Amino acid sequence: MKNNNIILMGFMGVGKGSLARELAASTGRIAIDTDDIIESMENTKIKKIFEKKGEPYFRECESKVSRWLQKSVHNTIISVGGGFYHVDNLQKIGHVIYLESSFDAILDRINACDNAASKLKKRPLLQDMKKAKKLMKKRHPHYLECADTVIHTEGKESAAIADEIIHLLKLSSK
Ligand code: S3P
């Protein structure tokens, strides 16, 4: 049985974290983020985990977090890292929403932030833009396959996307 969580999935920089906070504020639920949990669990920044232990180790951390989420987390808004779709129990954790956007719109969104440079720097798989664009293209069908709901996010503010989700899933507002 699903845990009544809402999972926000999508490529790096699409706005999962901001949307999770927006949804939390509107619904009174708590928002958590899988990257934050991994950083606490390892007491290390994601960038350093990639550098010191490699991507396969990071993916194992994601799997560990996914088992914990399934077992222990309920009624929560969960934003997940862009590669989290690989875990084998995503569907059992909650309702999966794929936040879809074009690569260019994601870059525009990041570049519009005051701290754009640090947003890029902390993401090891967002250093070479050609490679990142390819990665996004490769992942798109997997995201679609995992998703219960797809939301097109381009040109929309997080508040508007949050309203769309609240309406679609008939969530009660605070
Ligand atoms: C990754 C996305 C990142 C983070 C890590 C790997 C990915 O999270 O989990 O750098 O593989 O797409 P965000 O999607 O929150 O940037």
Side-chain angles (χ1 to χ4, degrees), residues 13-169:
V14 76
K16 293 164 285 185
S18 327
L19 178 60
R21 290 187 288 278
E22 194 75 48
L23 270 174
S26 304
T27 60
R29 294 191 188 202
I30 286 173
I32 59 175
D33 180 88
T34 57
D35 283 347
D36 292 344
I37 297 166
I38 291 170
E39 290 189 343
S40 310
M41 202 167 90
E42 294 289 306
N43 192 20
T44 312
K45 293 283 178 204
I46 303 293
K47 186 171 178 264
K48 284 270 173 266
I49 300 176
F50 269 74
E51 278 167 18
K52 290 189 173 164
K53 299 197 165 167
E55 185 175 341
Y57 180 81
F58 175 74
R59 300 300 172 201
E60 280 172 32
C61 293
E62 291 190 312
S63 295
K64 188 173 170 186
V65 169
S66 76
R67 291 193 291 275
W68 172 75
L69 291 170
Q70 185 185 343
K71 198 166 158 231
S72 311
V73 177
H74 305 266
N75 301 315
T76 297
I77 315 289
I78 308 171
S79 49
V80 302
F84 198 83
Y85 68 90
H86 74 88
V87 303
D88 59 12
N89 63 340
L90 193 64
Q91 283 286 334
K92 291 183 181 144
I93 300 171
H95 186 96
V96 184
I97 300 180
Y98 170 29
L99 303 174
E100 201 199 3
S101 171
S102 69
F103 188 73
D104 290 346
I106 285 179
L107 284 191
D108 288 348
R109 189 182 173 277
I110 294 175
N111 287 325
C113 299
D114 291 340
N115 57 346
S118 78
K119 279 186 177 288
L120 290 171
K121 207 172 155 204
K122 73 174 191 180
R123 294 179 162 103
L125 301 180
L126 206 49
Q127 301 306 306
D128 176 329
M129 291 308 151
K130 252 190 169 172
K131 276 192 190 163
K133 194 171 179 175
K134 263 193 186 165
L135 181 65
M136 180 165 151
K137 203 173 165 200
K138 193 175 137 204
R139 282 180 177 175
H140 176 68
H142 298 288
Y143 288 145
L144 285 178
E145 204 176 275
C146 298
D148 294 303
T149 302
V150 180
I151 304 254
H152 301 278
T153 63
E154 234 168 288
K156 297 177 189 166
E157 297 289 338
S158 353
I161 306 170
D163 284 347
E164 199 175 327
I165 292 173
I166 288 169
H167 183 74
L168 259 174
L169 303 189

